[in-house]
Amino acid sequence: MGDYHIYNKSCYGLDEVRKNSVHALITDPPYGISYQNNHWDKNLPEKQIWSDALDRLRPGAFGAVFSAVRLMHRMMVDLEDSGFIIKDVLFWSYLNGMPKSRDIALDIDKELGVESHNAGTYKYVQGYRKEGAAHYKTEATKHKKVPASKEGKFFVGSGLGLKPAYEPVILVQKPTEKKLSVAQNIIKYGTGALNIEQTRIPYEKGEGKVGHNPHPKGRVAANIVRTTAFEDGYDKFFLVPKVRQHAETYNNHPTLKPVDLMHHLTKLLTWEGQTILDPFMGSGSTGVSAYLLRRKFVGYELDKEYFKIAKRRMEEAVI
Ligand SMILES: C[S@@+](CC[C@H](N)C(=O)[O-])C[C@H]1O[C@@H](n2cnc3c(N)ncnc32)[C@H](O)[C@@H]1O
């Protein structure tokens, strides 16, 4: 059994956590965008949780807070107003985001009472093929429509949004103790720096080492974390594919984060034996990562069912 404490209750107050005791905050809170109509995602977290978390973190401790492109500015202001220093924004980038757009030219036809033209059929495929299955989750033949009105034709191909290809992760830091240098702060609290050493990207075989003083372990990790390689020789960024809820039979959390991604943040923000706090742990990916990488963990989850999943994952240390 690893060293972790998880609570099935609201994180507000963080009553179980001592002041200045936590080495890092790693959390994926509600984004405030009502993702898939989830009731818990209607609003951004109240500022109070960030000031509670700041109080529990050791001086100089770092935090990684997931956010959504549309509302990250508000989350950043809340974090800053609560006393955090904004250090960076990491981009977790992937290729399998779904654009939430539709053909507005067809809406224009409808608005004008004009029947859009049929332009053949296409195969609609949704979901993925589970191992060994003959078919995708949903396959259907649909009619392709093209605008018929003059105005619709003029605006053909217009839409409302781009394909989402990244999620921002706000990197924050609690200020170091007043009058202490970074080194003095680290000696006193064990916090104040990122763990660059553990997150270096190794050089490709045969690659000439870069920089004036190349490090044998490779490059410093970038602030972009990708799921697929750039086509420029080899990938100099950290790659983490998205996971599907169904990858695990019992984990149906709609915003499940890959443990590999959490591993990257765990390694970047902490050293072995240190404590990570996740006030919004959902199905527990942060906790599983902490456990597997020998960090201590404190997590909160309000929902009974998600908590059960997190508990089971922690007990089984399931990726
Ligand atoms: C974005 S999800 C986290 C998903 C998680 N990263 C995972 O991999 O499963 C945010 C979670 O915060 C929980 N939540 C919302 N408000 C909360 C509160 N006040 N206290 C504790 N948990 C809360 C929601 O139930 C939801 O499961």
Side-chain angles (χ1 to χ4, degrees), residues 161-224:
L162 301 175
K163 176 184 170 68
Y166 73 87
E167 269 175 55
V169 185
I170 306 163
L171 187 69
V172 292
Q173 188 183 16
K174 176 169 174 170
T176 48
E177 188 175 300
K178 278 203 179 89
K179 297 197 185 129
L180 293 192
S181 69
V182 173
Q184 288 167 335
N185 193 91
I186 291 177
I187 292 164
K188 184 164 176 189
Y189 294 104
T191 41
L194 293 170
N195 195 340
I196 302 296
E197 181 80 0
Q198 266 200 47
T199 45
R200 282 188 177 272
I201 311 292
Y203 295 108
E204 185 81 329
K205 255 200 192 120
E207 182 197 7
K209 300 202 177 1
V210 292
H212 301 297
N213 186 13
H215 193 285
K217 283 195 172 166
R219 300 164 188 272
V220 173
N223 54 5
I224 298 184

Side-chain angles (χ1 to χ4, degrees), residues 9-12 28-30 40 253 255-257 279-285 301-303 306:
K9 60 183 283 198
S10 173
C11 57
Y12 288 94
D28 176 24
W40 50 261
H253 198 291
T255 64
L256 164 68
K257 289 284 180 296
F280 302 97
M281 70 174 170
S283 67
S285 293
E301 172 55 46
L302 191 53
D303 185 278
Y306 296 153

Side-chain angles (χ1 to χ4, degrees), residues 279-304:
F280 302 97
M281 70 174 170
S283 67
S285 293
T286 314
V288 173
S289 166
Y291 178 88
L292 291 173
L293 296 177
R294 289 191 279 276
R295 273 67 168 170
K296 294 173 189 143
F297 179 70
V298 186
Y300 289 81
E301 172 55 46
L302 191 53
D303 185 278
K304 215 169 92 193

Side-chain angles (χ1 to χ4, degrees), residues 24-313:
L25 168 74
I26 301 181
T27 192
D28 176 24
Y31 292 175
I33 56 173
S34 293
Y35 180 69
Q36 292 179 348
N37 277 334
N38 283 299
H39 65 92
W40 50 261
D41 197 41
K42 282 211 172 77
N43 299 303
L44 284 170
E46 285 168 34
K47 256 194 227 174
Q48 186 207 324
I49 184 58
W50 305 130
S51 39
D52 289 346
L54 189 89
D55 178 71
R56 306 310 190 272
L57 286 167
R58 292 165 179 247
F62 279 83
V65 181
F66 283 81
S67 186
V69 176
R70 270 199 289 128
L71 285 181
M72 66 191 270
H73 59 295
R74 294 209 178 276
M75 191 98 90
M76 286 168 92
V77 168
D78 286 350
L79 285 158
E80 198 175 53
D81 284 354
S82 308
F84 281 102
I85 302 166
I86 305 289
K87 297 292 288 186
D88 205 335
V89 178
L90 278 70
F91 282 9
W92 174 39
S93 166
Y94 40 79
L95 288 179
N96 48 357
M98 287 289 285
K100 261 206 204 131
S101 194
R102 59 172 193 271
D103 193 343
I104 296 302
L106 302 181
D107 285 10
I108 294 174
D109 274 2
K110 204 169 164 194
E111 186 63 35
L112 296 172
V114 175
E115 184 80 15
S116 301
H117 293 315
N118 275 328
T121 57
Y122 66 94
K123 207 164 159 200
Y124 174 79
V125 178
Q126 200 190 25
Y128 61 100
R129 233 186 329 223
K130 245 191 163 172
E131 263 171 64
H135 297 289
Y136 286 93
K137 211 169 146 205
T138 314
E139 271 180 297
T141 301
K142 293 209 171 191
H143 288 283
K144 184 168 170 44
K145 300 264 185 190
V146 291
S149 66
K150 192 168 138 247
E151 292 84 348
K153 283 179 180 163
F154 185 81
F155 286 105
V156 69
S158 52
L160 295 178
L162 301 175
K163 176 184 170 68
Y166 73 87
E167 269 175 55
V169 185
I170 306 163
L171 187 69
V172 292
Q173 188 183 16
K174 176 169 174 170
T176 48
E177 188 175 300
K178 278 203 179 89
K179 297 197 185 129
L180 293 192
S181 69
V182 173
Q184 288 167 335
N185 193 91
I186 291 177
I187 292 164
K188 184 164 176 189
Y189 294 104
T191 41
L194 293 170
N195 195 340
I196 302 296
E197 181 80 0
Q198 266 200 47
T199 45
R200 282 188 177 272
I201 311 292
Y203 295 108
E204 185 81 329
K205 255 200 192 120
E207 182 197 7
K209 300 202 177 1
V210 292
H212 301 297
N213 186 13
H215 193 285
K217 283 195 172 166
R219 300 164 188 272
V220 173
N223 54 5
I224 298 184
V225 178
R226 284 179 47 92
T227 58
T228 36
F230 281 129
E231 296 299 322
D232 56 353
Y234 83 97
D235 196 274
K236 301 174 186 68
F237 300 89
F238 192 76
L239 304 183
V240 185
K242 270 194 158 188
V243 276
R244 311 262 182 200
Q245 290 99 309
H246 313 276
E248 293 170 76
T249 45
Y250 62 86
N251 191 349
N252 62 353
H253 198 291
T255 64
L256 164 68
K257 289 284 180 296
V259 172
D260 275 350
L261 173 64
M262 306 320 291
H263 274 349
H264 187 61
L265 299 174
T266 297
K267 286 197 238 168
L268 184 65
L269 267 55
T270 59
W271 279 257
E272 268 190 41
Q274 295 193 331
T275 304
I276 295 171
L277 168 68
D278 184 351
F280 302 97
M281 70 174 170
S283 67
S285 293
T286 314
V288 173
S289 166
Y291 178 88
L292 291 173
L293 296 177
R294 289 191 279 276
R295 273 67 168 170
K296 294 173 189 143
F297 179 70
V298 186
Y300 289 81
E301 172 55 46
L302 191 53
D303 185 278
K304 215 169 92 193
E305 293 309 312
Y306 296 153
F307 179 81
K308 261 200 243 165
I309 299 171
K311 187 165 180 287
R312 181 166 165 192
R313 284 180 85 202

